[in-house]
Every structure is written in C-alpha cells, then in structure tokens.
Amino acid sequence: MARKPRKKSYSGIYHIMLRGVNRQTIFEDDEDKSRLLKTIERFKEKDKFLVYSYCLMDNHIHLLIKEKEETVSTFIQKISASYVYWYNNKYERCGHLFLENLASAEPFRRMP
C-alpha cells in the first residue's frame, strides 16, 4: 500500500526528521557531521532553500527548512543520497543509511 502524500505546508516551512535505519548511528565522528552540513549548504544554495535550524543527533537529524523552487522531498533526496554515497565509501559499506520515509510536519499553524 502506498503512503499518503506529504501534506503541503501553507507557509512552505517544514520540520524534517531523518532517522538511521534501525536507529543506527549515522554520525561516527565530527567529520561525518561536518560533511552533512557542507552537503546541506551546497544544495541549499543550488536549490534555493532556507535552512532556519538543524540538530544533528547520533542517529537522526532535525531540519527546519523552507522550500522555494524545489520540493522538500527533492531537496531531502539530494542531501541524503549525496551523504549516504560519501558515508558508504568512507566506512566501506553498502545499502541504506536512512529510513525510507522521512518524517515531516508543518511547525506552525495559522491562527483563526
């Protein structure tokens, strides 16, 4: 059964959470965190996204972002694919690093 489409944010702002498969560690050291932040910076400029805040935990990531030209799904796919490719090469592994479905929520609700 297919998952429901992501609910479109009226503001374009999303709280995104990417978790490691089986809650595994996705940052083994500071170099890994630095690499992900550089990857976000690269695609943020290219895809015209605003990143309001982030929190990097050992086994998951929180991002507060605003989409502009690309959809949030495309932006996250680019970031995760690039990071996972680098991570898998560094640690001589293969396969998925993140859960397939990213969690997203609209952080603000419009007041009546």
Side-chain angles (χ1 to χ4, degrees):
M1 184 172 164
R3 69 173 182 82
K4 293 179 183 177
R6 181 168 291 102
K7 187 177 176 184
K8 185 79 171 157
S9 166
Y10 77 90
S11 65
I13 299 173
Y14 295 87
H15 170 220
I16 303 294
M17 185 181 74
L18 289 169
R19 184 180 299 279
V21 172
N22 294 322
R23 298 182 183 204
Q24 82 175 55
T25 298
I26 58 174
F27 301 114
E28 302 291 337
D29 57 27
D30 288 342
E31 180 186 23
D32 297 348
K33 292 176 182 177
S34 177
R35 178 59 181 227
L36 180 70
L37 292 175
K38 288 177 186 171
T39 301
I40 291 170
E41 185 68 28
R42 180 167 41 105
F43 285 109
K44 178 184 84 149
E45 297 300 322
K46 184 178 178 186
D47 294 343
K48 309 288 191 271
F49 262 77
L50 294 176
V51 177
Y52 292 114
S53 64
Y54 61 87
C55 180
L56 307 180
M57 309 296 280
D58 287 343
N59 70 348
H60 67 284
I61 304 158
H62 293 272
L63 296 169
L64 186 61
I65 62 175
K66 182 173 184 173
E67 66 183 3
K68 288 190 167 190
E69 294 180 13
E70 290 281 357
T71 65
V72 68
S73 295
T74 301
F75 181 65
I76 296 302
Q77 284 173 347
K78 289 177 181 180
I79 290 169
S80 60
S82 178
Y83 179 73
V84 171
Y85 179 80
W86 176 85
Y87 184 94
N88 284 350
N89 281 329
K90 178 181 177 182
Y91 294 106
E92 298 178 348
R93 64 180 299 277
C94 61
H96 296 281
L97 180 62
F98 297 114
L99 289 175
E100 295 274 336
N101 292 336
L102 62 96
S104 69
E106 186 171 24
F108 307 106
R109 297 191 188 268
R110 181 174 279 167
M111 299 298 288

